[in-house]
Amino acid sequence: MSTAQIGVVPSFIAGQWQNHEAHDGTQVLDANTGELLATVTSERLDVAAAVHHGRTVGQRSLSALTLHERALKLKELAMYLNERRPELYELSYRTGATKIDSMVDIDGGIGVLFTFSSKGRRELPNANVILDGPSEQLSKDGSFLGTHVFTPLAGVAVQVNAFNFPVWGMLEKFAPAFIAGVPSIVKPATPTGYVAEAVVRLMLDSGILPEGSLQLLSGSARDILDHLDYRDMLAFTGSAATANRLKSHPNVVEGGVRFTSETDSLNAAILGPDAVEGTAEFDAFVKAVVTEMTVKAGQKCTAIRRSIVPQALVEPVIAAVSERLEQRVVLGDPRVEGVTMGALASLDQLRDVRAAVEDMLAAGGEIAYGRLDAPAVRVAPEKDAVAERGAFMSPLVLRWDDPQNPVVHSREAFGPVSSVIGYDSLEQAVELAAMGSGSLVATVCTNDAEVMRELTVGIAAHHGRVHILNRETARSSTGHGSPVPHLVHGGPGRAGGGEELGGIRSVKHHMQRTAVQGSPNMLTSLTGVWHTGADQRLAGCERFGGQSQNVHPFRKSLAELSIGDGFASDLREVTLQDISDFATSTGDTFYAHTQQEAAAANPFFPGIVAHGYLLVSWAAGLFVEPAPGPVLANYGLENLRFITPVAAGDSIRVTLTAKKITPRVTDEYGEVAWDAILHNQNDEIVATYDVLTLVEKKDETYANFGQ
Ligand code: NAP
């Protein structure tokens, strides 16, 4: 088995790889063989230079790109890394990770880049400022508005990561920081930092990243916080003890460094009383517990540490979990055929986990399955598969007579260790889950909707995520232990209180929300979104603000169209016949459109009124410019509200204004959202909505049409 040495793990600071001499550095061993693999310097790294480079060069190069351009780069990066996974797997094996574990880390990390890339381009504007919510009218005449905007933090995002997921843990923080436009300084954990270094090297070699957007500190870097101030943020993943030390640093307490942490967590899985042996839920529960114990040899912040099951099911659950462990687990070097669970990441880690288990046994826990001194499960037959100096450990299931024993709810054994405790009532199950003092995730496993509701509502405030498992999701669930980049990852209390992985909210987490007040024109100009009251250049009916010299906005490509361009129609009168024809042709004969007496009795209507959809359809007819042109398609409406009813004899008119223009980075067209407002003959607002269209960047396809 190849155990080639990596040498000194370098840092990447201010655009340079730095190979510190590491005579007295920390030695990193192959987790499976115990052989020396790499050395990590314990010399002082030039953190100040990294921070300065990020705040200057990194900030500048990132701000030259829009949110969409940065998001697109993440996709390019993901594709680049995807092709280079095999070399990363080879390194990952040395951390004790099996192929499946490595895929969770490496493929999972790359998947995070893909997800953030597509969510970023779908859910954010192609700009540098994000508008947060609707504007508020602050003066009677509408000339003074207030709104909120997000802009990138002015400093750096320092990311201190745990050893268990060197790739995914890094990329889940890097992706949102990068889209937000904040340079990252990554500080991986020493035992597996060589895998993170390999990924950073690939990312930099790809040539995709703007200068200064990613730097790496390989080494202890204990003085990181000394160099940060209120412009910067530090996102920490690791033990609660380290988090507590870091967050009490004066630069956090007094200096305003934004600090978030994802720390350890005694996650629970609760089995409902209905989920007895023989049910699909019982089987799914046992499977989940075994998966969480064995993937990454249980070194997962989200692993199930506490199975909370009805008293009568304690022994059946222990028996079933033990049987599955016996059948499924083959311990050994992950490079050996047939191995399903590898070593812990280091001998230190093995010592820590054993010490934690010893504490738990001393406090009243009892080993129901496994052995602390030697592997109880099958060991891969090949010689040296479980080398003497490897960090191998048997999975252990612990039984507790007293479910309230504080140690089962507080001592984290960060390895293949899980406890089973019994409950007498749902109320007690909730109490027991909450005794974890705040966790990342809990599974609620039941097919009884009442039980699910009581448990989920009861435990939600103590958890960042609740995973509801029953026969309907047993096959399709992404699993208890897998945070997904779309949803919050983090949890209250002991789990650290962070939400660093959680869709677009984690991008905004790297930005400052600022309230901005000003005129509609100024807010339009700042945000790139047309605000009511701002200037318009309307074509169409002069009576309602149109100017004959203005070109119809549907004749303009994205290159020619500006925010505020629009069209004002003339009035069109609605007759009873129109309403009745629409009712007949659509089949929508709801009484308000067909029966005078019943309609008049309705508190909202004066009598028969026009269908809202008739008015929206008419509006399209009033504003359309029908000849082929740069407008390619209408792909929807948003925020449609009907405000004033329209009766026979009333008239409507429409004003359409280009509100938001979003060119797509990858296509020859982009999206235009149009503010549409319908008025009646008395200038009362009948309806408001946004019309969504796709418009060519340049008017080429149809340039010669009809000539
Ligand atoms: P750790 O010992 O707390 O170390 C975490 C990181 O902090 C490492 O990069 C470490 O660097 C660094 N560090 C330690 N002291 C520091 C200091 N004074 N200043 C700056 N950096 C410092 O945790 P770990 O053993 O790596 O990770 C295991 C723990 O992490 C478990 O408790 C697990 O539950 C938790 N975890 C939580 C999550 C989550 O999302 N909530 C995810 C994964 C892991 P060195 O390695 O160089 O010391």
Side-chain angles (χ1 to χ4, degrees), residues 161 187 190 222 237-239 242 262-264 301 412 414 489:
N161 297 325
K187 147 74 190 102
T190 297
R222 294 293 185 257
T237 302
S239 61
T242 311
E262 311 297 327
T263 54
D264 48 32
C301 54
E412 183 195 38
F414 200 60
H489 171 54

Side-chain angles (χ1 to χ4, degrees), residues 44 47 221-230 234 241-259:
R44 272 177 92 85
V47 178
R222 294 293 185 257
D223 59 336
I224 267 180
L225 271 164
D226 298 347
H227 304 279
L228 305 184
D229 65 28
Y230 79 96
L234 190 146
T242 311
N244 289 337
R245 194 168 328 124
L246 292 176
K247 76 177 170 214
S248 52
H249 190 285
N251 282 351
V252 177
V253 180
E254 292 157 30
V257 176
R258 298 156 203 243
F259 181 87

